[in-house]
Amino acid sequence: MRYLILTAISAFMLNAPSAFAEAPVYTGNVGCKCHKQQYEEFQNSIHARAFDQLLAAKRSRKENKALKDVKLDHTKDYDDDPKCLECHTTGFNKPGGYSGTNMKDDLKGVGCESCHGPGSLYRVLHKEKEKTFTVAEAAALGEVYPPSEEDCRKCHDNQESVFSGASDPKYAFDFKKRLENGAKAWHTARKLLYKH
């Protein structure tokens, strides 16, 4: 009888690996340096500096003209506010992502993994098959490529933000217009070094 119970449990565990699978882990922007041109453009983008915007919110209204008309409490530390960190950091409170115990610099801001998903899903493929992996292979592992409009709207239409269209129509998110901004926003959609 014990043998039958152990056999049944073993069969269940072998046939249900997803129940025991490890959660994807955010690994930070450092691992994205192989995409040199995209990485360099990203480092100079608005998204890369998203965490710095939380620090800027604390400045006086005179000092920070961009926030003059926004209803923010300029005495508050927004860089410690979970509602803000959700969209101004990478992988907030998820495995490997930015958290109170993991404040690595390359997780501050809207990083590569904010758009493409946790690096543990696909970085091994990128490393092992750098020149030959296909977009389909990376997508099968969970890499998001290209990010969709819905991915962007998770933050840009966030009702918690004073910078959403709900709080002021001038902040309404126009996906097509944002795509035209290219490297100003993230990185120009360029072909990668190798054909994937």
Coordinates of all heavy atoms in Angstrom, one line a residue, residues 65-113:
K65 N 10.1 73.3 -11.9 CA 9.0 73.9 -12.7 C 8.1 72.8 -13.4 O 7.0 73.0 -13.6 CB 9.6 74.8 -13.7 CG 10.2 76.0 -13.1 CD 10.8 76.9 -14.1 CE 11.5 78.1 -13.4 NZ 12.4 78.8 -14.2
A66 N 8.7 71.7 -13.7 CA 8.0 70.6 -14.4 C 6.8 70.1 -13.5 O 5.8 69.6 -14.0 CB 8.9 69.5 -14.8
L67 N 7.0 70.2 -12.2 CA 6.0 69.7 -11.2 C 5.2 70.8 -10.6 O 4.4 70.5 -9.7 CB 6.7 68.9 -10.1 CG 7.5 67.7 -10.6 CD1 8.2 67.0 -9.4 CD2 6.6 66.7 -11.3
K68 N 5.3 72.0 -11.1 CA 4.6 73.1 -10.6 C 3.1 73.0 -10.5 O 2.5 73.3 -9.5 CB 4.9 74.4 -11.4 CG 4.4 75.7 -10.9 CD 4.9 76.8 -11.7 CE 4.4 78.1 -11.2 NZ 4.7 79.2 -12.0
D69 N 2.5 72.4 -11.5 CA 1.0 72.3 -11.5 C 0.5 71.0 -11.0 O -0.7 70.7 -11.0 CB 0.5 72.5 -12.9 CG 1.0 71.4 -13.9 OD1 2.1 70.9 -13.6 OD2 0.4 71.2 -14.9
V70 N 1.4 70.1 -10.5 CA 1.0 68.8 -10.1 C 0.8 68.8 -8.6 O 1.5 69.4 -7.8 CB 2.1 67.7 -10.4 CG1 1.7 66.4 -9.9 CG2 2.3 67.7 -11.9
K71 N -0.3 68.1 -8.1 CA -0.6 68.1 -6.7 C 0.2 67.0 -6.0 O -0.2 65.9 -5.7 CB -2.1 67.8 -6.5 CG -2.9 68.9 -7.1 CD -4.4 68.6 -7.1 CE -5.2 69.7 -7.8 NZ -6.5 69.3 -8.1
L72 N 1.5 67.4 -5.7 CA 2.4 66.5 -5.0 C 2.8 67.2 -3.7 O 2.9 68.4 -3.6 CB 3.7 66.2 -5.8 CG 3.6 65.3 -7.0 CD1 4.9 65.3 -7.7 CD2 3.1 64.0 -6.6
D73 N 3.0 66.4 -2.7 CA 3.4 66.9 -1.4 C 5.0 66.9 -1.5 O 5.6 65.8 -1.4 CB 3.0 65.9 -0.3 CG 3.5 66.3 1.1 OD1 4.3 67.3 1.2 OD2 3.1 65.7 2.1
H74 N 5.5 68.1 -1.6 CA 7.0 68.2 -1.8 C 7.8 68.0 -0.6 O 9.0 68.1 -0.6 CB 7.3 69.6 -2.5 CG 6.7 69.7 -3.8 ND1 7.3 69.2 -4.9 CD2 5.5 70.2 -4.2 CE1 6.5 69.4 -6.0 NE2 5.4 70.0 -5.6
T75 N 7.2 67.6 0.5 CA 7.9 67.2 1.7 C 8.0 65.7 1.9 O 8.7 65.2 2.7 CB 7.2 67.8 3.0 OG1 5.9 67.2 3.1 CG2 7.1 69.3 2.9
K76 N 7.3 65.0 1.0 CA 7.2 63.5 1.1 C 8.4 62.8 0.4 O 8.8 63.3 -0.7 CB 5.9 63.1 0.5 CG 5.6 61.6 0.6 CD 4.2 61.2 0.1 CE 4.1 59.7 0.2 NZ 2.8 59.2 -0.3
D77 N 8.8 61.7 0.9 CA 9.8 60.8 0.2 C 9.1 59.8 -0.7 O 8.7 58.8 -0.3 CB 10.6 60.1 1.3 CG 11.6 61.0 2.0 OD1 12.1 62.0 1.4 OD2 11.8 60.7 3.2
Y78 N 8.9 60.2 -1.9 CA 8.3 59.3 -2.9 C 9.2 58.1 -3.3 O 8.6 57.1 -3.8 CB 7.9 60.1 -4.1 CG 6.7 61.0 -3.9 CD1 6.9 62.4 -3.6 CD2 5.4 60.5 -3.8 CE1 5.9 63.2 -3.4 CE2 4.3 61.4 -3.6 CZ 4.6 62.7 -3.3 OH 3.5 63.5 -3.1
D79 N 10.5 58.2 -3.0 CA 11.3 57.1 -3.3 C 11.2 55.9 -2.3 O 11.9 54.9 -2.4 CB 12.8 57.5 -3.4 CG 13.3 58.2 -2.1 OD1 12.5 58.9 -1.5 OD2 14.5 57.9 -1.8
D80 N 10.2 56.1 -1.4 CA 10.0 55.1 -0.4 C 8.5 54.7 -0.5 O 8.0 53.9 0.4 CB 10.3 55.6 1.0 CG 10.5 54.5 2.0 OD1 10.7 53.3 1.6 OD2 10.4 54.7 3.2
D81 N 7.7 55.2 -1.4 CA 6.3 55.0 -1.5 C 6.0 53.8 -2.5 O 6.3 53.9 -3.7 CB 5.6 56.2 -2.1 CG 4.1 56.1 -2.1 OD1 3.6 55.0 -2.2 OD2 3.5 57.2 -2.0
P82 N 5.5 52.7 -2.0 CA 5.2 51.5 -2.8 C 4.4 51.8 -4.1 O 4.6 51.2 -5.1 CB 4.4 50.5 -1.9 CG 4.8 51.0 -0.5 CD 5.1 52.4 -0.6
K83 N 3.4 52.8 -4.0 CA 2.6 53.1 -5.1 C 3.4 53.7 -6.2 O 3.1 53.5 -7.4 CB 1.5 54.1 -4.7 CG 0.4 53.6 -3.8 CD -0.6 54.7 -3.5 CE -1.6 54.2 -2.5 NZ -2.5 55.2 -2.1
C84 N 4.5 54.4 -5.9 CA 5.4 55.0 -6.9 C 6.4 54.0 -7.3 O 6.8 53.9 -8.5 CB 6.1 56.2 -6.3 SG 4.9 57.5 -5.8
L85 N 7.0 53.2 -6.4 CA 8.1 52.3 -6.7 C 7.6 51.2 -7.7 O 8.4 50.7 -8.5 CB 8.6 51.7 -5.5 CG 9.3 52.6 -4.5 CD1 9.7 51.9 -3.2 CD2 10.6 53.2 -5.2
E86 N 6.3 50.9 -7.7 CA 5.8 49.9 -8.7 C 6.1 50.3 -10.1 O 6.4 49.4 -10.9 CB 4.3 49.8 -8.5 CG 3.6 48.8 -9.4 CD 3.9 47.4 -9.0 OE1 4.0 47.1 -7.7 OE2 3.9 46.5 -9.9
C87 N 6.1 51.6 -10.4 CA 6.4 52.0 -11.8 C 7.7 52.7 -12.0 O 8.1 53.0 -13.2 CB 5.2 52.9 -12.3 SG 3.7 52.0 -12.6
H88 N 8.4 53.0 -11.0 CA 9.6 53.7 -11.1 C 10.9 52.9 -10.8 O 12.0 53.4 -10.7 CB 9.6 55.0 -10.2 CG 8.7 56.1 -10.7 ND1 9.2 57.2 -11.4 CD2 7.4 56.2 -10.6 CE1 8.2 58.0 -11.7 NE2 7.1 57.4 -11.3
T89 N 10.6 51.6 -10.6 CA 11.7 50.6 -10.4 C 11.5 49.4 -11.2 O 10.4 49.2 -11.8 CB 11.9 50.2 -8.9 OG1 10.7 49.5 -8.5 CG2 12.2 51.4 -8.0
T90 N 12.4 48.5 -11.3 CA 12.3 47.3 -12.1 C 12.0 46.1 -11.1 O 12.7 45.8 -10.2 CB 13.6 47.0 -12.8 OG1 13.9 48.1 -13.7 CG2 13.5 45.7 -13.7
G91 N 10.9 45.4 -11.4 CA 10.5 44.2 -10.7 C 10.2 44.5 -9.2 O 10.5 43.6 -8.3
F92 N 9.5 45.6 -8.9 CA 9.3 45.9 -7.5 C 8.6 44.8 -6.7 O 7.6 44.3 -7.1 CB 8.4 47.2 -7.4 CG 8.1 47.6 -6.0 CD1 9.2 48.0 -5.2 CD2 6.8 47.6 -5.5 CE1 8.9 48.4 -3.9 CE2 6.6 48.0 -4.2 CZ 7.6 48.4 -3.4
N93 N 9.3 44.4 -5.6 CA 8.9 43.4 -4.7 C 8.6 42.0 -5.3 O 7.9 41.2 -4.8 CB 7.6 43.8 -3.9 CG 8.0 44.7 -2.7 OD1 9.1 44.8 -2.3 ND2 7.0 45.4 -2.2
K94 N 9.3 41.8 -6.4 CA 9.2 40.5 -7.1 C 10.6 39.8 -6.9 O 11.6 40.5 -6.7 CB 8.8 40.6 -8.5 CG 7.4 41.1 -8.7 CD 7.0 41.3 -10.1 CE 5.6 41.9 -10.2 NZ 5.4 42.6 -11.5
P95 N 10.7 38.5 -7.1 CA 12.0 37.9 -6.9 C 13.1 38.5 -7.7 O 13.0 38.6 -8.9 CB 11.8 36.4 -7.3 CG 10.3 36.2 -7.1 CD 9.7 37.5 -7.4
G96 N 14.2 38.9 -7.0 CA 15.3 39.6 -7.6 C 15.1 41.0 -8.0 O 16.1 41.7 -8.3
G97 N 13.9 41.5 -7.9 CA 13.6 42.9 -8.3 C 13.9 43.9 -7.1 O 14.3 43.5 -6.0
Y98 N 13.6 45.1 -7.4 CA 13.9 46.2 -6.4 C 13.0 46.0 -5.2 O 11.8 45.7 -5.4 CB 13.6 47.6 -7.1 CG 14.0 48.7 -6.2 CD1 15.3 49.2 -6.2 CD2 13.1 49.3 -5.3 CE1 15.6 50.3 -5.4 CE2 13.4 50.3 -4.4 CZ 14.7 50.8 -4.5 OH 15.0 51.9 -3.7
S99 N 13.5 46.2 -4.0 CA 12.8 46.0 -2.8 C 13.6 46.7 -1.7 O 14.7 47.2 -1.9 CB 12.5 44.6 -2.4 OG 13.8 44.0 -2.1
G100 N 13.0 46.8 -0.5 CA 13.6 47.4 0.6 C 14.9 46.7 1.0 O 15.8 47.3 1.6
T101 N 15.1 45.4 0.6 CA 16.3 44.7 0.8 C 17.2 44.5 -0.4 O 18.3 43.9 -0.3 CB 16.0 43.3 1.4 OG1 15.2 42.6 0.5 CG2 15.3 43.4 2.8
N102 N 16.7 45.0 -1.5 CA 17.5 44.9 -2.8 C 17.4 46.2 -3.6 O 16.5 46.3 -4.4 CB 17.0 43.7 -3.6 CG 17.9 43.5 -4.8 OD1 19.0 43.9 -4.9 ND2 17.3 42.7 -5.8
M103 N 18.2 47.1 -3.2 CA 18.1 48.5 -3.8 C 19.3 48.7 -4.8 O 19.8 49.8 -4.9 CB 18.2 49.5 -2.8 CG 17.0 49.5 -1.8 SD 17.0 50.9 -0.7 CE 16.1 50.2 0.7
K104 N 19.6 47.7 -5.6 CA 20.7 47.8 -6.6 C 20.4 48.9 -7.6 O 19.3 49.1 -8.0 CB 21.0 46.5 -7.3 CG 21.5 45.4 -6.4 CD 21.9 44.1 -7.2 CE 21.1 43.8 -8.5 NZ 21.4 42.5 -9.1
D105 N 21.5 49.6 -7.9 CA 21.3 50.8 -8.8 C 20.7 50.3 -10.2 O 19.9 51.1 -10.8 CB 22.6 51.5 -9.1 CG 23.0 52.3 -7.9 OD1 22.1 52.7 -7.1 OD2 24.2 52.7 -7.8
D106 N 21.0 49.2 -10.7 CA 20.5 48.8 -12.0 C 19.1 48.2 -11.9 O 18.5 47.8 -12.9 CB 21.5 47.8 -12.7 CG 21.6 46.4 -12.1 OD1 21.3 46.3 -10.9 OD2 22.0 45.5 -12.8
L107 N 18.5 48.4 -10.8 CA 17.0 48.1 -10.6 C 16.2 49.4 -10.4 O 15.0 49.3 -10.4 CB 16.8 47.1 -9.5 CG 17.3 45.7 -9.7 CD1 17.2 44.9 -8.4 CD2 16.6 45.0 -10.9
K108 N 17.0 50.5 -10.2 CA 16.3 51.8 -10.0 C 16.0 52.3 -11.4 O 16.8 52.3 -12.3 CB 17.2 52.7 -9.3 CG 17.5 52.4 -7.9 CD 18.4 53.4 -7.2 CE 18.6 53.0 -5.8 NZ 19.6 54.0 -5.1
G109 N 14.7 52.7 -11.6 CA 14.3 53.1 -12.9 C 13.6 52.0 -13.7 O 13.4 50.9 -13.2
V110 N 13.0 52.4 -14.8 CA 12.3 51.4 -15.6 C 13.3 50.7 -16.5 O 13.7 51.2 -17.6 CB 11.2 52.2 -16.5 CG1 10.4 51.2 -17.4 CG2 10.3 52.9 -15.6
G111 N 13.8 49.6 -16.1 CA 14.9 48.9 -16.7 C 14.4 48.0 -17.9 O 13.2 47.9 -18.1
C112 N 15.4 47.4 -18.5 CA 15.1 46.5 -19.6 C 14.1 45.4 -19.3 O 13.2 45.1 -20.1 CB 16.4 45.8 -20.1 SG 17.8 46.9 -20.4
E113 N 14.2 44.9 -18.1 CA 13.3 43.8 -17.7 C 11.9 44.3 -17.4 O 10.9 43.5 -17.4 CB 13.8 43.1 -16.5 CG 15.1 42.3 -16.8 CD 15.8 41.8 -15.5 OE1 16.3 42.7 -14.8 OE2 15.8 40.6 -15.3

